[in-house]
Amino acid sequence: MTDANPPQAPATGLRFGYGTNGLTDLRLDDALALLADLGYDGVGLTLDHMHLDPLAPEPELAARTRHIARRLDHLGLGVAIETGARYVLDARRKHHPALLDPDPQARAARTGLLRMAVRIAAELGAGTGAVPVHCFSGQAPPGTAEGEAWERLAEAITPVLDAACAAGVPLAIEPEPGHLLADLAGFHRLRKTLGDPEGLGLTLDIGHCQCLEPAPPADCVREAAPWLRHVQIEDMRRGVHEHLPFGEGEIDFPPVLSALREVGYDALVSVELPRDSHAGPTLAESSLTFLREADRVAGEGRSEGAHPSALSADPADGADGATEAGRDRPIDGARAQGAHRTPEAARAE
């Protein structure tokens, strides 16, 4: 599927992080201390009102950013900047406005947020290395022609890409189920539309690969390798966009981690459990234990078979439909097969 060969490198240990969108009940200082104490290598920092508000007044934002930079340095944590906060720009509509909004001023609001994320990443990475910035396309508004939506995305992301290149910040767009740019094929379409710019990288979510990519997640890693700037990881079932704790989905993780080793990936692999903040500290601990064991198995070359927990969901359970992020809207029906979380589990969130 790709027109470039993945780079090869000697096997090396992976660096694990945990996303703050799964720790929203904790103060950021407490969340960072928790992750450092548990032994994480870094953090996926979501820009949002409760941790680092990108819309805060300038003096407050600058001071807060400097404080976080000092904390990260003191705790020895790397960082990736996430921009998937649900209501940071619009208190009523999730992930709005988006880069595909028909209103130019609304698109400019999202572009402005992403350019602010680039600035924050540059400040956090000063003297310590490049900090990647994650973004996504958003959903095409109803009635928007496909060609028009892709043109709009290319136009809207160009100033963000320019700002990232000028700042030396890796920009990593994420294929998101249900969005215009939903899969690796969509990433390659955007990349080619923009003329294959060197600064455009990729956030690969391993669960999303399981959800809807035609190839297994480990093969997705190999295909994505030349553009890989950030990795998110969690368990997931085929056809169901639901981020699950490790062992509750269908993914065999040692082959995935082995593939990341194989291609020489050395940035953060960040756990992404945004709907499980109610159990954030517990899941942060168990997730790292799980990933370290999976990485050990991968490093020893024993990556075949079930993942370390020996827990596996039955893919036939509830194969009556599939949902994307909100669990109440279908993914592309032609490709969506899978299961729904039980009402009891949903209520627990």
Side-chain angles (χ1 to χ4, degrees), residues 99-102 107 141 144 147-157:
L99 294 174
L100 304 176
D101 200 290
R107 291 199 301 275
T144 305
E148 179 184 0
W150 282 102
E151 290 176 6
R152 197 176 289 167
L153 175 59
E155 178 183 350
I157 204 169

Side-chain angles (χ1 to χ4, degrees), residues 109-160:
R110 176 63 61 173
T111 298
L113 172 67
L114 295 179
R115 293 182 69 177
M116 177 59 72
V118 166
R119 196 193 93 179
I120 291 170
E123 293 175 2
L124 292 180
T128 63
V131 171
V133 169
H134 150 281
C135 64
F136 48 69
S137 70
Q139 297 177 328
T144 305
E146 182 181 9
E148 179 184 0
W150 282 102
E151 290 176 6
R152 197 176 289 167
L153 175 59
E155 178 183 350
I157 204 169
T158 293
V160 183

Side-chain angles (χ1 to χ4, degrees), residues 7 10 23 29 37 51 73 80 96 99 127 130 135 140 178-179 207 209 228 232 235 284 290 330-331 348:
L23 296 169
D29 278 14
D37 286 346
H51 285 153
D73 180 63
H96 279 79
L99 294 174
C135 64
H179 286 205
C209 297
L228 204 54
Q232 296 172 341
D235 219 339
F290 182 100
I331 304 173

Side-chain angles (χ1 to χ4, degrees), residues 39-55:
Y40 277 94
D41 302 291
V43 58
L45 176 56
T46 295
L47 303 183
D48 208 349
H49 65 91
M50 78 290 291
H51 285 153
L52 179 57
D53 187 353
L55 304 184

Side-chain angles (χ1 to χ4, degrees), residues 146-203:
E146 182 181 9
E148 179 184 0
W150 282 102
E151 290 176 6
R152 197 176 289 167
L153 175 59
E155 178 183 350
I157 204 169
T158 293
V160 183
L161 183 58
D162 290 344
C165 289
V169 168
L171 185 66
I173 193 164
E174 178 188 7
E176 184 79 21
H179 286 205
L180 177 69
L181 199 161
D183 51 21
L184 285 172
F187 169 74
H188 292 307
R189 176 170 179 169
L190 176 64
R191 178 177 62 82
K192 293 175 181 178
T193 297
L194 294 173
D196 196 14
E198 183 178 353
L200 182 65
L202 175 70
T203 292

Side-chain angles (χ1 to χ4, degrees), residues 18 40 245-246 271 273 276-288:
Y18 200 92
Y40 277 94
F246 297 109
V271 178
L273 293 174
D276 291 285
S277 279
H278 63 282
T282 300
L283 281 172
E285 182 173 10
S286 62
S287 295
L288 186 57

